[in-house]
Amino acid sequence: MSVTLRGRRRRDGRLGARNHVLVLPSVVCANQTATLIGSEPGAVAVVHQHGCGQVGDDVAHTERAFLGSATNPNVGAVVVVSLGCETIQGRRLARLIERGGQRVAFVGIQQLGGTFKTVDHGRLAVGRLRAELEADGLVEAGLEELVLGIAADGATRAVRELAEAARIAGASVVLAVPEGARGDWEGAPVIGYGQAAAAGISVVEQAGEGTEQHLALAGAGAQVIVSLRGPGRAPQGFATGPVLAVAGDPGIYAALEDDFDLDGSSAGAEDVWRRVISVFNGEQTASEKRGARDFVLHRIARTM
Amino acid sequence: MEQLTGYPRPDGRWGVRNHVLVLPLHSAANLAAERSAEGLAGAASVGHQWEGIEGDPDQERIASTLAGFAANPNCFATVLIGIRREDTAIAKAAVRRGGRIHLVAMADHRGTAGTVAAVRPLLERLLAEASLTQRRPMPISGLVLGLECGGSDALSGITANPALGVASDLLVAAGGTSILAETPELIGAEHLLAARAATPEVGRRVLEVITGFESAIRDLGVDVRGAQPTPGNQAGGLTTIEEKSLGAAKKGGDAPVAGVLGFAQPPERPGLQIMDTPGHDIEQMVGMVAGGANLAAFTTGRGTPTGSAITPVLKIATNTAIYRRLEGDIDLNAGAILDGEESLESMGRLIYRRLLEVAAGELTSSERRGNREFAISRTVSPMTAFSG
């Protein structure tokens, strides 16, 4: 094993590139309470717009997205913030997260009696979990422990070259592309949404489009995501992991230079791959520096 | 009761608040919007998850939602943050809908940091201007009240909803406008609402909208009962969607139905309106606010803290236990009806009076807590969704 990665050794044996405490509302109605809890040092609160009024397979799909983000190795502990009457029940979600091997605390607004009491309980939980996750020691490891996620619009040359460079170096690569472009990856195994990436190159099912894909990749265990979007697309990050944003054309790179990491018209696969390693080992991406907390759920049915 | 006051807008509408709103037009602008408004009293921002990906079948609906929200009369002015300066369609639509709009493009400022640096001085200038405008005597007809219930229980249809219906009837009788929404929660009550339509055409539209929603759900191949009533509703004693609906429709009182509105569409005349929205609390609230609701009333049995960034939301508990339990998150207790302290009529008058006080400037619980939930409503999921 050649040592090139430094990260947190999680209880389930995986390696984390970051050490976040995620504050996760199980429903949009808990967003503000989660945000107030997330102001506690060392916590990252996400907000989203779902968790209620959902039907059919869409419920399970959203639950898998929550679960995947909560059990990604970049996250060392989770506080689930529930309202109480939502479709995606927070308590059940917390149990699933715990069963997934993660440290988890649960706070419920209706159960605890309102915003302020829930915020108090949630902040205490963050402090407690923060101390606990120090047990996940910093270790050195080989590239075979890296899961690289690539978010893309299709099977472009840049995507293929980066995936190949990572694979040859020994990393696992998981790709998220719109459902219609999944067929471009002949021979690559398809993994279900929320399933762990396979060795080599695999493609995740129902990953959605654009920034939605970041959640699909986190759910497959990716510690670093590279966003290789087409021309003109704006750069976005992910709440609990680094996203290397590569501009799809020189025009959009020049216009939004501060929010991109690389210009795809001048950076080749080897340049991106080198950055992936240094980002894994602690270098902050543009989205991390600016504090982007993007967390976009892919829906497969309309809201009721 | 003192004279109602508000902020007159150039297009004749009235605001009951005087916010300066920062609204992203693309989710990549969320952080810039939030940072721009941070720490500036009177400035509000919301975030959302729309990226405007080409070919989005809900493009028109979402653009209309964002334009209407930006143009709500509770905003003195709105700063829209987009990606490119050429993308002006939503800003133009917001201006047509009566908004005072400034558009800032991130591409002109190299990204988030530069955009925030450009927007903050603009906000400070707009806030200074806003602080110079004063409340004026306002007619009741300037009020557009959004009616909502969330986290319903078996008491919703017995206490808070019918009491809110009394308040809505008082508002409508005084020349104001009320919006009843949550289409899935009207399923089963459509015949009663259609019978109250002011014209045969409105009656036809009532049936069309409610049965249309039902069949759209059926086409998905799912049972409406998977989401309605929700787990919380069921724990609260509601057994069927019909039962929930008959209770939910009571928020609209007994007034004639004056109009039927599409999602985020502004009313054309005063009186009771029905807006076609999902039952999702936040999508519904955003739809009504985008349609011009400058005031909202929200009944809750299980208890919910949510609010709106720009429209004050008066929350009403259906039972005393939840009112006490969620101390301070709920404004009024309609459980007093069951406790024998108020009648439906007296509770309805109390709600009406509190609504006028809130319109005149009194802050609601969710305003004090800074709740600003926001969600984009879709009619279809993005294009690839059904292939799996």
Side-chain angles (χ1 to χ4, degrees):
Chain A
M1 180 190 85
S2 63
V3 171
T4 33
L5 301 178
R6 260 172 77 78
R8 295 274 173 178
R9 179 66 68 201
R10 298 300 176 201
R11 295 185 300 182
D12 65 0
R14 291 185 297 167
L15 192 68
R18 298 294 184 266
N19 205 25
H20 291 297
V21 174
L22 166 67
V23 182
L24 175 65
S26 53
V27 63
V28 54
C29 311
N31 275 355
Q32 176 67 5
T33 304
T35 301
L36 292 171
I37 294 169
S39 66
E40 188 74 8
V44 181
V46 296
V47 298
H48 59 79
Q49 319 203 332
H50 308 295
C52 206
Q54 298 182 236
V55 288
D57 295 343
D58 188 44
V59 176
H61 195 62
T62 297
E63 202 170 70
R64 280 194 290 268
F66 287 155
L67 188 59
S69 67
T71 54
N72 180 281
N74 288 342
V75 173
V78 182
V79 179
V80 172
V81 188
S82 159
L83 176 60
C85 53
E86 64 270 20
T87 305
I88 301 213
Q89 286 280 294
R91 193 172 277 289
R92 174 186 145 85
L93 177 64
R95 268 202 306 273
L96 292 173
I97 292 169
E98 189 168 33
R99 221 174 286 158
Q102 184 61 287
R103 298 179 184 91
V104 65
F106 170 84
V107 289
I109 297 169
Q110 289 169 353
Q111 187 208 0
L112 290 167
T115 304
F116 288 157
K117 283 182 187 159
T118 310
V119 170
D120 286 346
H121 280 81
R123 284 187 174 152
L124 286 172
V126 169
R128 196 179 67 238
L129 292 167
R130 198 73 238 167
E132 275 182 39
L133 66 83
E134 286 312 308
D136 297 351
L138 263 178
V139 297
E140 298 188 324
L143 280 174
E144 68 281 2
E145 294 206 38
L146 190 152
V147 180
L148 171 66
I150 302 179
D153 305 327
T156 61
R157 192 177 143 205
V159 176
R160 289 183 184 282
E161 286 180 359
L162 176 62
E164 204 47 30
R167 189 190 63 80
I168 289 167
S172 302
V173 179
V174 57
L175 301 162
V177 290
E179 214 51 11
R182 200 145 54 79
D184 299 349
W185 298 94
E186 275 173 41
V190 175
I191 58 166
Y193 196 100
Q195 282 177 3
I201 299 174
S202 53
V203 185
V204 62
E205 197 179 36
Q206 291 276 27
E209 307 203 2
T211 312
E212 296 168 347
Q213 295 172 348
H214 297 175
L215 260 172
L217 295 169
Q223 303 107 329
V224 178
I225 293 170
V226 174
S227 162
L228 284 169
R229 304 249 85 97
R233 297 282 291 278
Q236 299 201 250
F238 183 61
T240 54
V243 175
L244 265 172
V246 181
D249 70 284
I252 196 71
Y253 181 75
L256 296 168
E257 195 181 338
D258 290 351
D259 290 357
F260 277 113
D261 294 280
L262 289 162
D263 176 2
S265 64
S266 57
E270 284 303 320
D271 302 312
V272 179
W273 174 237
R274 268 196 303 276
R275 281 290 285 277
V276 167
I277 307 297
S278 56
V279 162
F280 189 106
N281 290 330
E283 186 194 341
Q284 287 205 314
T285 63
S287 61
E288 289 184 292
K289 282 183 200 153
R290 68 179 183 269
R293 295 187 309 278
D294 298 304
F295 190 88
V296 182
L297 287 162
H298 171 231
R299 298 286 306 278
I300 57 172
R302 69 178 291 182
T303 300
M304 276 294 301
Chain B
M1 175 67 214
E2 286 174 35
Q3 165 70 47
L4 181 63
T5 60
Y7 301 93
R9 302 300 178 205
D11 66 347
R13 294 183 301 164
W14 287 82
V16 303
R17 295 293 184 268
N18 209 33
H19 294 293
V20 176
L21 173 69
V22 189
L23 181 67
L25 296 179
H26 185 293
S27 60
N30 282 348
L31 187 67
E34 187 185 327
R35 292 273 162 80
S36 296
E38 218 161 54
L40 293 177
S45 74
V46 295
H48 60 78
Q49 312 197 331
W50 191 55
E51 293 172 61
I53 294 172
E54 206 175 317
D56 187 334
D58 273 323
Q59 162 90 28
E60 204 177 312
R61 176 185 177 96
I62 294 168
S64 160
T65 305
L66 293 173
F69 200 86
N72 183 284
N74 284 341
C75 299
F76 170 79
T78 296
V79 178
L80 298 174
I81 303 185
I83 304 299
R84 294 170 198 77
R85 71 164 74 163
E86 308 87 84
D87 298 339
T88 57
I90 294 173
K92 283 178 180 156
V95 170
R96 280 196 301 275
R97 290 176 69 155
R100 182 177 166 190
I101 306 297
H102 294 259
L103 177 62
V104 176
M106 288 180 71
D108 290 339
H109 303 282
R110 295 166 50 102
T112 302
T115 302
V116 173
V119 172
R120 279 187 78 93
L122 170 61
L123 279 182
E124 284 177 15
R125 184 165 64 72
L126 292 169
L127 286 166
E129 268 183 61
S131 71
L132 295 176
T133 59
Q134 293 195 340
R135 283 185 175 269
R136 301 260 173 78
M138 167 181 171
I140 301 278
S141 62
L143 288 177
V144 180
L145 173 69
L147 303 168
E148 175 153 359
C149 52
S152 295
D153 67 357
L155 292 173
S156 297
I158 296 166
T159 59
N161 288 353
L164 180 54
V166 170
S168 172
D169 283 345
L170 288 169
L171 176 67
V172 166
T177 302
S178 267
I179 304 176
L180 182 66
E182 313 172 269
T183 312
E185 293 164 36
L186 300 177
I187 294 172
E190 60 269 30
H191 55 298
L192 301 172
L193 291 165
R196 278 161 53 193
T199 67
E201 167 61 15
V202 169
R204 197 184 57 73
R205 285 276 295 140
V206 169
L207 292 175
E208 189 180 282
V209 160
I210 298 173
T211 54
F213 200 104
E214 203 178 356
S215 67
I217 293 296
R218 205 177 302 120
D219 289 348
L220 278 179
V222 295
D223 185 348
V224 63
R225 281 164 293 193
Q228 296 287 0
T230 66
N233 296 151
Q234 292 172 28
L238 288 172
T239 55
T240 64
I241 183 59
E242 291 83 358
E243 190 183 11
K244 183 173 176 178
S245 293
L246 292 171
K250 289 189 176 167
K251 300 192 301 294
D254 295 321
V257 178
V260 176
L261 307 170
F263 189 84
Q265 188 188 346
E268 283 168 10
R269 59 187 77 82
L272 178 65
Q273 312 282 329
I274 291 178
M275 183 183 281
D276 185 14
T277 77
H280 184 285
D281 291 351
I282 313 304
E283 292 182 16
Q284 178 203 349
M285 181 63 73
V286 167
M288 297 191 301
V289 171
N294 50 14
L295 187 62
F298 189 142
T299 68
T300 181
R302 311 292 292 169
T304 177
T306 56
S308 160
I310 55 174
T311 286
V313 179
L314 185 78
K315 279 207 297 293
I316 305 157
T318 70
N319 64 86
T320 303
I322 205 68
Y323 177 73
R324 294 215 176 114
R325 188 166 176 77
L326 268 68
E327 49 173 276
D329 282 355
I330 317 277
D331 298 278
L332 271 178
N333 178 25
I337 297 168
L338 221 62
D339 302 342
E341 292 160 17
E342 301 282 351
S343 67
L344 268 183
E345 288 301 314
S346 70
M347 191 68 217
R349 284 195 298 274
L350 183 66
I351 293 171
Y352 183 59
R353 198 159 62 239
R354 274 296 285 278
L355 282 169
L356 296 185
E357 285 164 2
V358 166
E362 190 184 303
L363 293 181
T364 62
S365 295
S366 56
E367 282 181 296
R368 288 195 297 269
R369 275 157 180 55
N371 287 82
R372 51 181 176 135
E373 290 75 15
F374 188 86
I376 293 279
S377 168
R378 290 181 167 282
T379 57
V380 290
S381 45
M383 41 236 140
T384 54
F386 295 105
S387 56

